[in-house]
Amino acid sequence: MARGCRPGCIENQDLMSTPLNAPLRRIAHLDMDAFYASVELLRYPQLKGLPVVIGGGRRAQNDDLQAAQDERAPHSIPVADFPRLKDYSGRGVITTATYAARQFGVGSAMGLMKAARLCPQAILLPVDFAAYRHYSRTFKDIILDIAPLMEDRGIDEVYIDFTQVPGGQREGGRVLARLIQKAIYDATALTCSVGVAPNKLLAKMASEFNKPNGIAIVFEDDLEGRFWPLACRKINGIGPKADEKLQQLGIHTIGELAQKDVGWLIDHFGQKTGAWMFDAAHGIDCRPVVLESEPVSISRETTFERDLHAVRDRAELGAIFTRLCEQVAQDLQRKGYVGKTIGIKLRFDDFKSVTRDLTLPDHTFDAATIRHHAGLCLKRIALQQKLRLLGVRVGSLMTAAEHHLWRQHEAPLQQVQTAMDLET
DNA sequence: TCTGGGGTCCTAGGACCC
DNA sequence: TCTGGGGTCCTAGGACCC
């Protein structure tokens, strides 16, 4: 969960100790509008207004489209030549659906088979992460040119600290938000929505207020009027489980949540979550905008075309397992990390998942080492049931550069220490 | 007819040490 | 000999997010 800090909250200290004419803390949340679909429409403008879903498995379910692309410019492919949802067979979920497709009840994370029954005529496009990453890089670079304090929150979202940016205070941030929107649109023809608020929590919610292509400016005084009527689920960090529990306790809106006292919330949700919920309902969040962060783990996983059995499909499973380990090793090396916790994840045909991991004495990025220890993890699981997913993870990361230094200095010292221990 | 892939953070119990 | 407590690391599971 996205947690604010509670004791010694910087924001609270600032309120008490900052001079009267200090700039107001102004945090923006920027969210690209229907990002994947919008990028696809840049390529295939002929699909504008039609029900389109993006998703599917790795299989070349779009052979027709692939063939067509070889010969024709994307924008000249007739709509009739695009593959339809009804012609798809196999696993996979929808990553994004256009508004026209959502009219049919089709939405993100829905299985493609189910979606095909709801809207068989919808056009199905394969995900093209290379294209989305390219546009992601482009819009983030544009923002960085204008406002350097940006936190990356994934492929289509960022937080930006407007507080000290020239013009960031004008109209509560609206002027700067408009400038960024225009710069992104001029360069990419993509639209985004921006919320500007005293902190990340409120900014994130505010960016949804005027979607698409909208701006929402909010201040602390807007808490009761604009946030308290919203469903608790709108708080970033309250998901389906917490929401259901809140509903059962008779709490449906953020305003109702705010009426409960901290102690009561802590009794029902635990120290940390209870205190955090209380703060969130009162619009309190002092998390800073974080410019850079190191990854904690790197993983690869895959859902099989069909469920596999550990014994009957041993060869196939073994090949996939080895490939996943090699991919993780490559990812580590490419990104410059080593890790010492090797883990696996299995999902059975009934969708139950289990994980196993073990920690090595030293860090590694070696595919064979990862494969060996992932294999040891796998041996600790009974494999009667068929499997639908296998994953490999490396955690407890440090950068390869740090590890290099560590081996030069720390490791020899430890060896000396061990030798001394043995002598005594 | 089910339900992707890549992450983060939290909890909780046990081992082990001081 | 008994009792207790704190800190850290390891492992497994789960909620949540994009």
Side-chain angles (χ1 to χ4, degrees):
Chain A
M1 276 187 197
R3 297 281 161 78
C5 45
R6 180 75 186 149
C9 177
I10 292 166
E11 190 183 62
N12 292 341
Q13 288 171 356
D14 278 351
L15 284 175
M16 290 183 285
S17 62
T18 43
L20 280 174
N21 55 357
L24 281 179
R25 190 165 188 249
R26 294 270 85 197
I27 306 296
H29 179 261
L30 181 149
D31 190 9
M32 299 303 289
D33 298 320
F35 188 53
Y36 296 179
S38 302
V39 170
E40 295 294 349
L41 287 177
L42 294 176
R43 216 182 337 194
Y44 306 118
Q46 64 270 46
L47 301 181
K48 208 162 283 179
L50 297 174
V52 177
V53 303
I54 300 163
R58 314 149 289 284
R59 238 171 348 157
Q61 75 270 30
N62 284 330
D63 288 342
D64 295 345
L65 185 61
Q66 300 292 338
Q69 274 183 341
D70 291 342
E71 296 156 31
R72 293 173 284 187
H75 66 268
S76 71
I77 299 168
V79 169
D81 288 4
F82 282 85
R84 304 290 156 153
L85 208 40
K86 64 176 156 59
D87 301 321
Y88 179 84
S89 68
R91 284 193 155 135
V93 294
I94 292 173
T95 305
T96 316
T98 59
Y99 290 102
R102 289 179 207 181
Q103 307 269 300
F104 293 87
V106 166
S108 298
M110 181 180 287
L112 284 173
M113 288 296 142
K114 182 177 175 183
R117 280 194 311 284
L118 290 169
C119 188
Q121 75 278 21
I123 288 157
L124 173 64
L125 297 177
V127 284
D128 181 356
F129 277 104
Y132 313 147
R133 268 196 298 271
H134 168 258
Y135 281 96
S136 181
R137 195 60 264 159
T138 304
F139 88 76
K140 286 169 190 170
D141 284 344
I142 289 165
I143 294 169
L144 284 169
D145 272 347
I146 298 169
L149 301 186
M150 184 190 82
E151 176 176 337
D152 202 323
R153 293 301 299 184
I155 200 150
D156 66 343
E157 278 187 41
V158 295
Y159 288 106
I160 314 158
D161 194 334
F162 277 12
T163 312
Q164 305 285 349
V165 178
Q169 297 284 338
R170 290 178 61 196
E171 297 178 34
R174 186 181 301 276
V175 173
L176 189 55
R178 215 185 275 134
L179 176 72
I180 290 172
Q181 266 186 335
K182 183 172 180 339
I184 291 173
Y185 186 81
D186 288 348
T188 65
L190 295 170
T191 66
C192 60
S193 296
V194 186
V196 192
N199 59 48
K200 295 209 282 191
L201 175 87
L202 298 180
K204 166 92 179 165
M205 286 191 273
S207 66
E208 273 192 55
F209 286 176
N210 295 313
K211 249 184 178 313
N213 201 17
I215 294 173
I217 306 297
V218 301
F219 298 94
E220 275 175 59
D221 289 348
D222 294 316
L223 186 66
E224 269 191 63
R226 304 187 74 176
F227 294 94
W228 281 9
L230 301 176
C232 297
R233 187 70 173 78
K234 293 286 179 189
I235 294 174
N236 190 238
I238 294 184
K241 299 286 181 182
D243 191 48
E244 200 194 323
K245 194 168 164 186
L246 284 166
Q247 303 262 6
Q248 281 169 6
L249 292 165
I251 301 166
H252 306 95
T253 66
I254 298 175
E256 286 164 359
L257 184 59
Q259 300 316 306
K260 299 292 172 189
D261 66 58
V262 209
W264 188 87
L265 288 169
I266 288 171
D267 286 345
H268 284 88
F269 293 92
Q271 178 61 52
K272 211 141 186 170
T273 306
W276 168 77
M277 277 183 177
F278 182 84
D279 283 350
H282 289 87
I284 296 168
D285 169 28
C286 23
R287 291 170 301 162
V289 169
V290 176
L291 307 188
E292 277 179 78
S293 60
E294 296 286 357
V296 172
S297 68
I298 288 175
S299 67
R300 286 283 187 138
E301 64 184 53
T302 186
T303 299
F304 314 133
E305 303 288 341
R306 59 182 178 89
D307 294 344
L308 298 179
H309 191 275
V311 179
R312 289 193 293 281
D313 303 304
R314 195 190 158 91
E316 196 175 347
L317 217 41
I320 293 168
F321 196 25
T322 301
R323 183 167 48 80
L324 288 170
C325 292
E326 287 165 354
Q327 284 173 334
V328 171
Q330 272 175 32
D331 293 342
L332 285 165
Q333 287 162 39
R334 183 164 39 82
K335 297 176 180 176
Y337 290 95
V338 291
K340 65 170 182 164
T341 303
I342 314 292
I344 61 163
K345 170 168 136 187
L346 296 184
R347 181 126 70 207
F348 296 106
D349 54 2
D350 63 359
F351 224 70
K352 293 229 164 59
S353 303
V354 294
T355 63
R356 292 292 180 273
D357 60 46
L358 62 80
T359 300
L360 306 175
D362 192 10
H363 296 70
T364 184
F365 56 35
D366 176 59
T369 307
I370 294 168
R371 176 66 179 81
H372 173 72
H373 292 92
L376 295 179
C377 289
L378 191 60
K379 281 187 181 160
R380 289 163 29 201
I381 307 176
L383 296 172
Q384 273 70 324
Q385 255 184 94
K386 280 190 164 187
L387 304 171
R388 72 169 357 248
L389 171 146
L390 180 59
V392 175
R393 192 184 86 100
V394 175
S396 310
L397 301 184
M398 75 194 291
T399 66
E402 278 173 335
H403 184 242
H404 187 70
L405 287 174
W406 179 84
R407 273 217 298 227
Q408 280 180 334
H409 297 102
E410 298 293 330
L413 284 179
Q414 283 194 350
Q415 282 163 18
V416 170
Q417 190 62 51
T418 308
M420 285 166 62
D421 288 346
L422 287 174
E423 278 172 31
T424 53

